[in-house]
Amino acid sequence: SKAISRYEIYVSIASVHLGCGHPNIASFLITVVQLYYKMNDCHRSMRYLSRALKCSVSAEKVAIVYNILGSASFEAGYLDIALKSFQASLKIEREIGLSSNDIVTTLSNLGKTLSLQENFDEALGYYQIEGENAFATNDTRAKHVLSTLRDI
């Protein structure tokens, strides 16, 4: 698509002039990653994720990149990579104190990944933590968490 091509050109030019560590570079790379992910092109998305991870200057952006990498890996069937990515994202989210909504999403992703790997005990642990966080913030996903727990 033209939008992705324009972002890719901008990133190439800006990387030369601003350097990889400039915050705009990581932001634009993350945008390209999200566009490819929405187009179900997990392989290109993952390629740009590695660049975004190298250029990310804030812990929050690194957590976002790990979460997207986990989602892309999950969709592509690379469950081990997805699991490690979600775990890395969760660790950073907790360390920097991201909102409970971000943490609930990551916990849910961890639970889904572990369930597919048939590691139900560990998945249940993540789902329980997710439910507690969801209830603490009056998150509407709490009902979904409870129904998921009943299904396990």
Side-chain angles (χ1 to χ4, degrees), residues 64-80:
I64 290 168
V65 170
Y66 272 126
N67 224 326
I68 296 170
L69 176 60
S71 296
S73 300
F74 182 89
E75 294 294 325
Y78 303 116
L79 298 180
D80 289 337

Side-chain angles (χ1 to χ4, degrees), residues 46-73:
M46 290 169 74
R47 205 173 329 140
Y48 276 93
L49 278 168
S50 65
R51 284 182 62 193
L53 196 55
K54 291 175 186 171
C55 292
S56 293
V57 291
S58 73
E60 184 175 358
K61 285 188 177 162
V62 172
I64 290 168
V65 170
Y66 272 126
N67 224 326
I68 296 170
L69 176 60
S71 296
S73 300

Side-chain angles (χ1 to χ4, degrees), residues 16-17 27 33 50 65 76 79 82 89 91-92 97 117 120 128 131 142 144:
V16 171
H17 294 289
S27 294
V33 165
S50 65
V65 170
L79 298 180
S89 181
K91 182 179 180 202
I92 294 167
Q117 290 180 324
F120 300 115
Q128 287 174 330
H144 167 72

Side-chain angles (χ1 to χ4, degrees), residues 3 8 15 20 35 53 56 58 69 74-75 77 84-85 91 107 119 125 128 135 143 145:
E8 289 174 332
S15 294
C20 182
L35 289 171
L53 196 55
S56 293
S58 73
L69 176 60
F74 182 89
E75 294 294 325
K84 289 176 184 176
S85 299
K91 182 179 180 202
L107 288 166
N119 189 343
Q128 287 174 330
F135 274 115
K143 290 180 182 176
V145 172

Side-chain angles (χ1 to χ4, degrees), residues 39-126:
M39 293 172 57
N40 293 321
D41 191 338
C42 293
H43 296 290
R44 280 192 181 151
S45 181
M46 290 169 74
R47 205 173 329 140
Y48 276 93
L49 278 168
S50 65
R51 284 182 62 193
L53 196 55
K54 291 175 186 171
C55 292
S56 293
V57 291
S58 73
E60 184 175 358
K61 285 188 177 162
V62 172
I64 290 168
V65 170
Y66 272 126
N67 224 326
I68 296 170
L69 176 60
S71 296
S73 300
F74 182 89
E75 294 294 325
Y78 303 116
L79 298 180
D80 289 337
I81 295 171
L83 182 62
K84 289 176 184 176
S85 299
F86 291 137
Q87 289 171 331
S89 181
L90 181 63
K91 182 179 180 202
I92 294 167
E93 289 169 354
R94 285 180 169 165
E95 286 174 0
I96 64 174
L98 278 185
S99 74
S100 291
N101 288 340
D102 294 320
I103 292 174
V104 166
T105 299
T106 304
L107 288 166
S108 175
N109 290 336
L110 279 162
K112 287 188 290 188
T113 304
L114 288 163
S115 293
L116 282 179
Q117 290 180 324
E118 297 184 3
N119 189 343
F120 300 115
D121 289 337
E122 195 172 350
L124 184 59
Y126 281 114

